[in-house]
Amino acid sequence: GAVVSQHPSWVICKSGTSVKIECRSLDFQATTMFWYRQFPKQSLMLMATSNEGSKATYEQGVEKDKFLINHASLTLSTLTVTSAHPEDSSFYICSVGQGSGNTIYFGEGSWLTVV
Amino acid sequence: RKEVEQDPGPFNVPEGATVAFNCTYSNSASQSFFWYRQDCRKEPKLLMSVYSSGNEDGRFTAQLNRASQYISLLIRDSKLSDSATYLCVVTEGYQKVTFGTGTKLQVIP
């Protein structure tokens, strides 16, 4: 069964609006979750590291005021794309690391289309 | 130089063929190594972990060479369902996860 659940799978929004994506760790508590973005035919790029109870750590070039991350509990992290623009259209995926082998589990991903 | 480099692909192979993917990494402090499979418009899913001693799972064999910083994936008797993009993933703990750009495999009937 799924280890990490992400919602919604698909979302279309108008330019200028905000969209929230949820990432839930189903089988274990996760103090750290990761958010990635993947443009067509490109590799996954880490956007930010979500830390439970504290501020997220953003990668260089990722606007923290545009991509708001909240990790209020040990099983839920949210990514809000604020004032979305068409260039924000992408595949957003969250992940959680688990186990001594550092296995990475991914959510199902969320396709965002901004029109 | 990219931290994780993979064969550019795409690989178009007939059913039943054997195909090998290669991956090199630059961070000598890397600790864990994986192959993930990503289907079109889906999230990556763990295919197998990679160990220095080699790891075999059915038709799939993965190998790690730490000295050369090289990872391989061998798929025997290719099936149509093997068509996907294969991602080489290298981690240094949970905090540093690096993905290769992926190699696309298309198995042809």
Side-chain angles (χ1 to χ4, degrees):
Chain A
V3 176
V4 181
S5 176
Q6 197 172 330
H7 177 82
S9 300
W10 301 83
V11 58
I12 301 173
C13 72
K14 290 184 177 180
S15 189
T17 62
S18 295
V19 174
K20 180 186 285 188
I21 302 170
E22 294 186 348
C23 179
R24 292 181 184 275
S25 173
L26 300 179
D27 292 345
F28 52 90
Q29 296 178 331
T31 56
T32 305
M33 294 185 180
F34 303 91
W35 286 97
Y36 294 86
R37 180 167 54 182
Q38 186 178 33
F39 292 106
K41 299 185 179 181
Q42 294 187 24
S43 184
L44 283 82
M45 296 299 297
L46 179 65
M47 297 176 66
T49 302
S50 173
N51 304 300
E52 188 268 336
S54 65
K55 292 182 179 179
T57 305
Y58 289 82
E59 295 299 300
Q60 190 173 10
V62 179
E63 300 175 56
K64 63 180 181 181
D65 295 329
K66 180 172 180 62
F67 298 99
L68 302 179
I69 291 174
N70 183 285
H71 194 153
S73 77
L74 288 170
T75 59
L76 175 64
S77 175
T78 61
L79 168 68
T80 302
V81 183
T82 63
S83 187
H85 289 95
E87 56 265 31
D88 297 324
S89 300
S90 185
F91 189 43
Y92 293 85
I93 312 177
C94 67
S95 75
V96 177
Q98 198 234 356
S100 58
N102 298 328
T103 302
I104 309 297
Y105 294 97
F106 292 91
E108 301 93 335
S110 300
W111 282 98
L112 170 63
T113 301
V114 185
V115 297
Chain B
R1 182 188 173 190
K2 294 180 181 177
E3 288 192 51
V4 177
E5 295 201 57
Q6 291 186 240
D7 283 348
F11 284 61
N12 297 309
V13 302
E15 273 187 286
T18 295
V19 60
F21 301 143
N22 302 318
C23 172
T24 57
Y25 61 96
S26 60
N27 181 7
S28 59
S30 299
Q31 298 168 323
S32 300
F33 310 88
F34 307 92
W35 282 102
Y36 279 75
R37 169 193 172 131
Q38 186 175 25
D39 291 288
C40 187
R41 295 178 172 268
K42 298 284 188 179
E43 80 279 15
K45 293 187 177 179
L46 179 64
L47 180 65
M48 58 199 310
S49 302
V50 190
Y51 308 113
S52 297
S53 56
N55 188 16
E56 184 173 323
D57 183 4
R59 298 181 293 109
F60 299 84
T61 301
Q63 194 76 46
L64 165 66
N65 184 321
R66 283 190 181 270
S68 302
Q69 296 184 190
Y70 171 93
I71 305 160
S72 65
L73 176 67
L74 183 75
I75 304 176
R76 292 180 296 276
D77 189 22
S78 298
K79 310 290 185 189
L80 295 176
S81 57
D82 294 334
S83 298
T85 296
Y86 290 82
L87 301 173
C88 175
V89 181
V90 176
T91 76
E92 185 183 347
Y94 296 137
Q95 301 297 331
K96 186 170 173 59
V97 179
T98 307
F99 294 86
T101 52
T103 300
K104 186 173 182 180
L105 171 65
Q106 185 69 48
V107 181
I108 305 165

